[in-house]
């Protein structure tokens, strides 16, 4: 058998499918919280998070992921209304797990780089190299008034600020070279002071002296994730991220996003294989395709239109769509702010116009996440493989709420992916970078010193 005749999965053995789990407690849809097997307080129950992180680790997932946003309304989705702060939560989970990555969301708009560097650096040490930071700029304008501002940062300013913020944090993470602490009790030397480095950053948005009172972890620095889908968001991801949480809802848009992001990374001089594209995965799973399609119909018929309109409006800073005629064409939103989830809002407007949707149709089609992953375990595994081998994804982030759904995915879908050689059967690394196959960033000061030493060692011509 020639190479071209071999199964595609065999040809792609060097490329590993990645799986993460979004631990969403009582859920961000309309119905999950009503599942009789799901605790009503799951979103604030640390035991629920620990138990599900351990289940994901037993299934050899790469990571668990905690979403966050610093603004809510009475109409906000159930999980968002009452949930634990990500870094506190993940620190607790770290002490009950040993391999799985721990990724939390934290905004660059309403925090300070020194605090963030210290918090994620601490999580990286507590977990022994399993921390990841999902960098967001905060989409909802209402967050500003929770942090002492009258107005939200403009969209372009948020992303300019985010670039500088991440650069400062990464600089602080390199405050100590790896061998800075001598700890020689005989001589009384604790620190080689020449290997402690101040940052002395003065930029457009931040002035940070440093150094950070913390060394690097065994994975060097926490892994950086990003999820923005606007042009500015994609540029930021291509520049800083080791992974992106993509919002593609169908195969073709997944392929387009994947190619675009990798091309942007390559244009910046990065190896595009070092940035992993991980779309959200919200499957409707059952023993048979027929049963899964029935469940999908029942869930669709149970949707509350008012709640769909609220969710549709969230992308526009909770714009009230209930003021319009439901059966008229999708409203003209000229003058409505897009200084929120800009990429998502623009996609809603463009899709509604292209499809000629009424507001009612737009609410049902665009007011909730729609999934093409509906079927039996075999069908779901086939679709995951299609996206992976077709370069629409490097892996997926599975939503975890209903216990039975998570069990069916772990116990029936994952083994199929393993049998096909697409997904690991055992961990081969103990850091998040190791799981994802992204390199440890060189220490900037040690690399500079090594380069200088090499130049001095070269014989004069």
């Amino acid at each position: 058998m020639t190479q071209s005749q071999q199964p595609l999965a065999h040809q792609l053995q060097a490329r590993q499918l990645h799986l993460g789990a979004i631990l969403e407690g009582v859920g961000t849809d309309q119905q999950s919280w009503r599942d009789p097997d799901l605790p009503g307080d799951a979103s604030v129950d640390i035991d629920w998070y620990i138990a599900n992180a351990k289940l994901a680790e037993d299934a050899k997932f790469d990571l668990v992921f905690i979403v966050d946003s610093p603004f809510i309304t009475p109409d906000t989705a159930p999980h968002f209304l009452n949930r634990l702060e990500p870094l506190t939560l993940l620190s607790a989970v770290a002490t009950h797990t040993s391999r799985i990555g721990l990724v939390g969301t934290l905004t660059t708009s309403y925090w300070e780089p020194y605090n963030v560097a210290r918090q994620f650096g601490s999580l990286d040490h507590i977990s022994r190299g399993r921390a990841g930071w999902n960098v967001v700029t905060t989409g909802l304008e209402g967050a500003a008034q929770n942090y002492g501002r009258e107005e939200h940062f403009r969209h372009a300013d948020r992303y300019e600020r985010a670039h500088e913020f991440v650069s400062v944090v990464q600089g602080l993470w390199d405050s100590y070279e790896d061998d800075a602490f001598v700890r020689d009790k005989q001589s009384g030397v604790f620190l080689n002071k020449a290997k402690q480095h101040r940052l002395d950053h003065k930029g457009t948005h931040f002035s940070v002296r440093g150094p950070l009172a913390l060394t690097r972890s065994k994975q060097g620095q926490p892994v950086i994730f990003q999820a923005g889908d606007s042009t500015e968001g994609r540029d930021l991801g291509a520049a800083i991220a080791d992974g992106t949480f993509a919002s593609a809802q169908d195969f073709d848009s997944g392929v387009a996003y994947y190619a675009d992001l990798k091309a942007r990374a390559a244009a910046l001089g990065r190896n595009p294989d070092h940035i992993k594209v991980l779309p959200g995965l919200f499957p409707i799973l059952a023993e048979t395709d027929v049963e899964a399609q029935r469940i999908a119909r029942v869930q669709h018929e149970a949707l509350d239109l008012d709640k769909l309109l609220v969710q549709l409006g969230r992308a526009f800073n909770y714009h009230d769509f209930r003021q319009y005629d439901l059966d008229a064409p999708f409203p003209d939103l000229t003058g409505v702010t897009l200084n929120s989830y800009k990429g998502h809002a623009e996609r809603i407007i463009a899709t509604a116009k292209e499809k000629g949707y009424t507001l009612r149709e737009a609410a049902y089609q665009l007011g909730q996440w729609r999934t093409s992953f509906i079927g039996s375990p075999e069908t779901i595994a086939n679709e995951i493989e299609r996206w992976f081998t077709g370069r629409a994804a490097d892996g997926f982030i599975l939503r975890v709420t209903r216990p039975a759904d998570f069990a069916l995915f772990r116990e029936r879908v994952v083994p199929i992916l393993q049998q096909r050689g697409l997904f690991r059967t055992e961990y081969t690394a103990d850091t998040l970078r190791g799981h994802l196959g992204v390199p440890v960033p060189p220490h900037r000061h040690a690399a500079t010193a090594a380069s200088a030493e090499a130049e001095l060692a070269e014989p004069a011509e």
Side-chain angles (χ1 to χ4, degrees):
M1 181 183 293
T2 66
Q3 183 179 13
S4 62
Q5 294 172 318
Q6 293 173 348
L8 187 54
H10 177 78
Q11 296 179 35
L12 295 175
Q13 281 183 352
R15 185 165 169 254
Q16 177 83 68
L17 177 73
H18 303 287
L19 291 176
I22 311 173
L23 303 184
E24 282 194 354
V26 295
T28 57
D29 60 11
Q30 294 185 13
Q31 298 295 330
S32 289
W33 70 273
R34 301 177 69 177
D35 187 315
D37 295 325
L38 181 66
D41 64 348
S43 295
V44 291
D45 181 358
I46 190 59
D47 292 334
W48 183 89
Y49 289 99
I50 290 169
N52 281 279
K54 292 172 74 172
L55 289 171
E57 186 170 67
D58 288 344
K60 313 307 176 190
F61 276 48
D62 294 67
L63 60 96
V64 292
F65 170 43
I66 307 299
V67 299
D68 198 36
S69 176
F71 178 71
I72 60 171
T73 76
D75 292 319
T76 295
H79 173 60
F80 294 156
L81 284 170
N82 185 29
R83 55 180 166 168
L84 300 177
E85 187 278 321
L87 272 291
T88 308
L89 185 167
L90 289 171
S91 294
V93 172
T95 65
H96 289 81
T97 55
S98 61
R99 291 295 189 93
I100 197 162
L102 307 168
V103 181
T105 298
L106 204 151
T107 177
T108 58
S109 294
Y110 296 109
W111 287 76
E112 290 294 327
Y114 191 91
N115 293 36
V116 172
R118 193 178 190 196
Q119 288 174 287
F120 273 104
S122 295
L123 177 62
D124 216 17
H125 275 278
I126 291 168
S127 65
R128 294 180 172 84
R130 295 184 284 133
W133 172 23
N134 179 39
V135 176
V136 299
T137 67
T138 297
L140 295 172
E141 291 186 327
Q145 294 179 29
N146 286 337
Y147 290 91
R149 289 178 59 89
E150 289 300 315
E151 294 184 352
H152 193 28
F153 295 97
R154 292 189 311 112
H155 188 269
D157 291 342
R158 297 205 306 269
Y159 279 95
E160 179 185 272
R161 177 186 172 96
H163 275 277
E164 185 179 343
F165 194 114
V166 173
S167 176
V168 172
V169 168
Q170 290 176 320
L172 288 168
W173 282 334
D174 277 356
S175 291
Y176 288 109
E177 294 180 44
D178 292 340
D179 58 350
F181 286 93
V182 180
R183 300 187 178 97
D184 188 331
K185 295 184 179 181
Q186 196 69 31
S187 67
V189 176
F190 187 73
L191 168 70
N192 180 343
K193 295 180 182 180
K195 295 194 174 186
Q196 182 197 72
H197 301 276
R198 277 171 46 178
L199 185 62
D200 289 324
H201 172 86
K202 292 189 182 296
T204 303
H205 300 277
F206 304 103
S207 176
V208 181
R209 181 181 186 271
L212 183 70
L214 192 65
T215 55
R216 291 178 19 138
S217 78
K218 66 188 298 182
Q219 71 169 349
Q221 295 186 357
V223 177
I224 299 292
F225 290 87
Q226 196 270 340
D229 194 31
S230 64
T231 297
E232 295 89 345
R234 294 187 185 202
D235 284 343
L236 178 64
I240 68 165
D242 302 299
T244 64
F245 296 133
S247 59
Q249 296 194 45
D250 59 67
F251 178 78
D252 290 341
S253 62
V255 169
Y257 174 88
Y258 187 100
D260 180 65
L261 188 75
K262 301 274 184 169
R264 290 173 194 251
L268 295 172
R270 298 188 61 193
N271 182 339
D273 291 337
H274 291 166
I275 180 170
K276 308 300 180 182
V277 175
L278 308 173
L281 179 61
F282 311 125
I284 299 176
L285 255 170
E287 290 294 339
T288 67
D289 289 349
V290 171
E291 177 63 10
Q293 293 291 346
R294 185 195 69 78
I295 292 171
R297 287 195 300 274
V298 169
Q299 290 183 359
H300 181 76
E301 290 167 0
L303 290 172
D304 183 308
L305 180 56
D306 280 345
K307 292 179 180 178
L308 288 175
L309 291 169
V310 170
Q311 192 61 26
L312 188 71
R314 187 172 187 266
F316 302 86
N317 197 45
Y318 282 109
H319 180 66
D320 186 4
F321 279 101
R322 290 170 291 192
Q323 65 186 288
Y324 303 106
D325 182 347
L326 285 170
D327 296 307
F330 188 77
D332 179 3
L333 298 180
T334 302
V336 173
T337 179
L338 296 186
N339 189 29
S340 53
Y341 295 106
K342 186 170 182 287
H344 187 194
E346 290 175 337
R347 188 165 60 250
I348 289 172
I349 293 170
T351 302
K353 181 178 180 180
E354 177 189 347
K355 303 289 187 180
Y357 285 153
T358 63
L359 176 56
R360 185 189 303 273
E361 291 169 332
Y364 277 106
Q365 296 298 321
L366 305 173
Q368 63 165 347
W369 184 276
R370 297 184 63 81
T371 180
S372 60
F373 291 79
I374 304 172
S376 67
E378 186 87 15
T379 296
I380 299 300
N382 289 344
E383 190 69 356
I384 288 173
E385 182 173 11
R386 182 168 80 102
W387 280 57
F388 179 65
T389 58
R391 302 281 174 166
D394 293 310
F396 293 90
I397 304 295
L398 174 74
R399 182 177 67 182
V400 173
T401 53
R402 301 172 188 255
D405 290 349
F406 189 27
L408 194 53
F409 188 90
R410 295 190 326 269
E411 296 167 7
R412 299 289 301 280
V413 177
V414 169
I416 295 172
L417 299 172
Q418 292 171 329
Q419 291 162 10
R420 296 178 184 181
L422 296 170
F423 188 63
R424 69 174 67 85
T425 57
E426 293 294 340
Y427 286 114
T428 57
D430 59 1
T431 67
L432 180 52
R433 287 186 180 276
H435 299 335
L436 295 172
V438 295
V440 173
H443 192 291
R444 65 193 64 198
H445 301 292
T448 301
S451 176
E453 289 177 5
E455 288 181 9
L456 290 173
E458 291 180 359
E461 295 183 358

